[in-house]
Amino acid sequence: MNQPKKLNTPSVAPIKCSQCPIRHRAVCARCDDDELEILESMKSYKTYAAGDVILWRGEPLEFVASVVTGVATLSKTMEDGRTQMVGLLLPSDFIGRPGREQIEFDVTATVDVTLCCFDRPRFESLVCETPHIAQRLMELALDELDAARDWMLLLGRKTAREKIATFIEMLARRSSHGQDGSKDVIDLHMTRDQIANYLGLTLETVSRQFSALKKDGVIDFSDRKHFTVEDIAALQDETGDDADGGVVY
Amino acid sequence: MNQPKKLNTPSVAPIKCSQCPIRHRAVCARCDDDELEILESMKSYKTYAAGDVILWRGEPLEFVASVVTGVATLSKTMEDGRTQMVGLLLPSDFIGRPGREQIEFDVTATVDVTLCCFDRPRFESLVCETPHIAQRLMELALDELDAARDWMLLLGRKTAREKIATFIEMLARRSSHGQDGSKDVIDLHMTRDQIANYLGLTLETVSRQFSALKKDGVIDFSDRKHFTVEDIAALQDETGDDADGGVVY
DNA sequence: CGTGAGATTGACTATATTCAACCCTAGTGG
DNA sequence: CCACTAGGGTTGAATATAGTCAATCTCACG
């Protein structure tokens, strides 16, 4: 953010896989040293500045990649401009799929992003030869599928207030710095418009619901991008989800 | 339907994998004869009558399975009863995931269903040893992920009319018997309520939109469960999707 | 200090939901 | 054989929720 905006650098000096921050969570998580060496030899890094489009929908998919740092979004846009985010990519998440020539949605960097890229055809043959990669890719896909299904419930059935509460609770859980119960300052590194596209709302409705939750003492904004959760219990009540996360009868 | 309702039979006589109707599409699609023999020895069939619940959310997941015949749905229900379908399982689709003890949603048979089941722990070790299974499972998961993401756009951004048009077009495409352009009678084997839960609407809205499309001459109902598409072009216009399926600039 | 992108707020409107009455139709039992 | 019933389905009227349009505000940045 406070760094100068850099142009879309085609590749930067790679770090060693063994020291990679996503080594044990990304597509390479199950790989042994030999397999890692193959990946090491074919990987290249690319960086994108906040706001850059990483891939356009329909574009031929020349590489697949893991997110090393930063956050990217997947989104679909209709002819008349209505758009819906269909996924959030955090470090260790995977972009692209073996066997597909094109990508079905736009991929955009919301903050500065570094990708660890692999040439798609070469990666595809590697998937066939290296069971550890297919296994991990399966796990990643199934995890994303679970997340997508939770999101479908939100999009199809939750009210605006429930959507916002769910979103905030997700952020709160994700950014809880160690000790529980503390009122961390949470960074909302998205615009109201992006949040609206994520939740299937308009930006005005997002703004109104934030204001309402603030008025009700559930959250408090220090500025437009930073807030604290004042009443976690109330927040969880508002999400519409079961109390303990799903296993209630 | 016209057969007597049978009780939930724990297992029925299995057919040979080599003659299985889903042999080349299911999780076993890439398996060679040796691998198939292992699967053959551990599989068992279960059948469920239309309306039966196959698995309840939160239930310990003792088996994983492929759908051999019939249709099942995945759905999530909120405390107050609002429910959202999050997936449709057709023959060759897979239920359950290795590495998860519990299932996150209800699985229900909408018509009579036959499953090809595998004991979960044994299947999990097989996934580790048999790359062809992990590869195929990855492909199936990625396909479902693509479908889930299309559905997210529908749920988050489409109007009631667009949702219904998309739904009908999906049915029309799926049940087109060979020659294109013919007016096939399409079987709507779901109630208005189930359709509503699928599309994130109420059953009244579903009914109203069907009536409106009929009045506009786009579709025609012979009875409540059967209709024909009278104007495919108009139907596609109403879906809100791009004309040729997505790759337009 | 001016500018512009993003955010907030208000007034009005549209869309889909809710509530309720009524209608089919298939299946049941007298 | 026919009337009754129940589970879906349709339709209408009133309502609520979120969307649209528009004015104003805030704040970071040049």
Side-chain angles (χ1 to χ4, degrees):
Chain A
M1 278 326 194
N2 38 12
Q3 297 163 1
K5 285 240 160 147
K6 52 192 155 202
L7 283 177
N8 180 343
T9 320
S11 92
V12 290
I15 49 175
K16 289 286 277 181
C17 285
S18 54
Q19 288 161 285
C20 178
I22 57 168
R23 164 72 180 95
H24 47 291
R25 300 192 57 216
V27 70
C28 50
R30 288 165 165 259
C31 291
D32 57 36
D33 291 346
D34 291 352
E35 291 163 343
L36 213 56
E37 207 157 315
I38 300 172
L39 285 171
E40 183 101 54
S41 72
M42 57 186 279
K43 79 181 183 183
S44 68
Y45 284 15
K46 290 190 206 241
T47 62
Y48 298 84
D52 281 359
V53 173
I54 296 172
L55 291 166
W56 290 104
R57 169 180 173 203
E59 197 176 345
L61 191 57
E62 300 190 339
F63 61 87
V64 296
S66 290
V67 176
V68 181
T69 61
V71 181
T73 61
L74 312 182
S75 59
K76 288 179 173 260
T77 300
M78 295 169 70
E79 291 162 288
D80 61 2
R82 283 176 282 175
T83 89
Q84 175 64 54
M85 283 188 197
V86 296
L88 201 57
L89 296 176
L90 300 174
S92 84
D93 285 334
F94 190 76
I95 298 175
R97 52 170 292 180
R100 267 278 199 295
E101 306 278 317
Q102 300 195 329
I103 195 152
E104 301 280 304
F105 29 75
D106 301 326
V107 183
T108 312
T110 50
V111 297
D112 291 358
V113 163
T114 305
L115 300 184
C116 175
C117 303
F118 307 97
D119 177 63
R120 188 172 62 79
R122 287 179 67 194
F123 189 83
E124 278 172 19
S125 42
L126 202 61
V127 168
C128 294
E129 293 155 18
T130 317
H132 285 159
I133 293 180
Q135 283 165 20
R136 183 62 188 148
L137 212 41
M138 175 197 77
E139 290 173 347
L140 291 171
L142 288 168
D143 285 344
E144 279 206 70
L145 198 49
D146 283 347
R149 283 170 171 158
D150 281 336
W151 218 245
M152 286 168 72
L153 175 63
L154 176 142
L155 292 173
R157 290 302 184 196
K158 289 192 178 179
T159 64
R161 181 170 252 245
E162 287 170 339
K163 286 176 174 179
I164 294 287
T166 304
F167 176 69
I168 292 175
E169 210 232 320
M170 191 188 79
L171 291 181
R173 192 174 334 189
R174 187 164 280 160
S175 70
S176 74
H177 287 293
Q179 60 261 59
D180 194 272
S182 63
K183 290 175 188 171
D184 292 326
V185 173
I186 295 170
D187 186 348
L188 205 63
H189 41 247
M190 299 166 93
T191 65
R192 300 292 185 267
D193 192 51
Q194 289 175 316
I195 296 169
N197 288 337
Y198 196 30
L199 299 175
L201 297 170
T202 58
L203 68 95
E204 293 94 331
T205 300
V206 170
S207 182
R208 274 187 250 272
Q209 296 299 333
F210 275 143
S211 301
L213 285 173
K214 176 175 179 174
K215 189 157 70 77
D216 295 347
V218 180
I219 56 174
D220 193 39
F221 278 88
S222 52
D223 70 33
R224 290 197 167 133
K225 291 260 199 268
H226 300 270
F227 66 95
T228 54
V229 176
E230 298 295 311
D231 188 344
I232 296 183
L235 182 65
Q236 279 166 346
D237 277 358
E238 302 275 14
T239 62
D241 294 332
D242 292 349
D244 67 355
V247 201
V248 179
Y249 288 102
Chain B
M1 278 327 194
N2 38 12
Q3 299 163 357
K5 283 241 160 143
K6 52 192 155 202
L7 283 177
N8 180 342
T9 320
S11 92
V12 289
I15 49 174
K16 289 285 277 180
C17 285
S18 53
Q19 288 161 287
C20 178
I22 57 168
R23 164 71 181 95
H24 46 292
R25 301 191 58 215
V27 70
C28 50
R30 288 164 165 259
C31 290
D32 57 37
D33 291 347
D34 291 351
E35 292 162 342
L36 214 56
E37 208 158 314
I38 300 172
L39 286 171
E40 183 102 54
S41 72
M42 57 186 280
K43 80 181 182 183
S44 68
Y45 283 15
K46 291 190 209 250
T47 62
Y48 299 83
D52 282 358
V53 173
I54 297 173
L55 291 166
W56 290 104
R57 170 180 173 203
E59 197 177 346
L61 192 57
E62 299 189 340
F63 61 87
V64 296
S66 289
V67 176
V68 181
T69 61
V71 181
T73 60
L74 312 181
S75 60
K76 289 179 172 261
T77 300
M78 295 169 70
E79 292 163 288
D80 62 2
R82 281 176 283 174
T83 88
Q84 175 65 52
M85 283 188 197
V86 296
L88 201 58
L89 296 176
L90 300 173
S92 83
D93 285 336
F94 190 77
I95 299 177
R97 51 170 293 180
R100 267 280 199 293
E101 306 277 319
Q102 301 195 329
I103 195 152
E104 301 280 304
F105 30 75
D106 302 327
V107 183
T108 312
T110 49
V111 297
D112 292 358
V113 163
T114 305
L115 300 184
C116 175
C117 302
F118 306 97
D119 177 62
R120 188 171 61 80
R122 286 179 67 194
F123 188 84
E124 278 172 20
S125 42
L126 200 62
V127 169
C128 293
E129 293 155 18
T130 317
H132 286 159
I133 294 180
Q135 282 167 18
R136 184 61 188 148
L137 214 40
M138 174 198 77
E139 289 173 348
L140 290 171
L142 289 168
D143 285 344
E144 280 207 67
L145 199 49
D146 282 346
R149 283 171 171 158
D150 281 337
W151 217 246
M152 287 168 71
L153 176 63
L154 176 142
L155 292 173
R157 290 301 183 197
K158 289 192 178 179
T159 64
R161 182 170 251 245
E162 288 169 340
K163 286 176 174 180
I164 294 286
T166 304
F167 175 70
I168 293 175
E169 209 232 320
M170 192 188 78
L171 292 181
R173 190 173 337 187
R174 188 164 280 159
S175 70
S176 75
H177 288 292
Q179 60 260 60
D180 194 271
S182 63
K183 289 176 187 170
D184 293 326
V185 172
I186 295 171
D187 186 348
L188 205 63
H189 42 246
M190 297 166 96
T191 65
R192 300 291 186 269
D193 192 50
Q194 289 175 316
I195 296 169
N197 288 338
Y198 196 31
L199 299 174
L201 296 169
T202 59
L203 68 94
E204 293 95 331
T205 301
V206 171
S207 181
R208 273 185 249 273
Q209 296 300 332
F210 275 143
S211 301
L213 284 175
K214 177 177 178 173
K215 188 157 70 77
D216 295 348
V218 180
I219 56 173
D220 193 38
F221 278 88
S222 52
D223 69 34
R224 300 215 154 118
K225 291 258 197 268
H226 300 271
F227 67 93
T228 54
V229 175
E230 299 295 311
D231 188 345
I232 296 183
L235 182 65
Q236 279 166 345
D237 277 357
E238 301 276 11
T239 64
D241 294 331
D242 290 349
D244 65 357
V247 200
V248 179
Y249 286 101

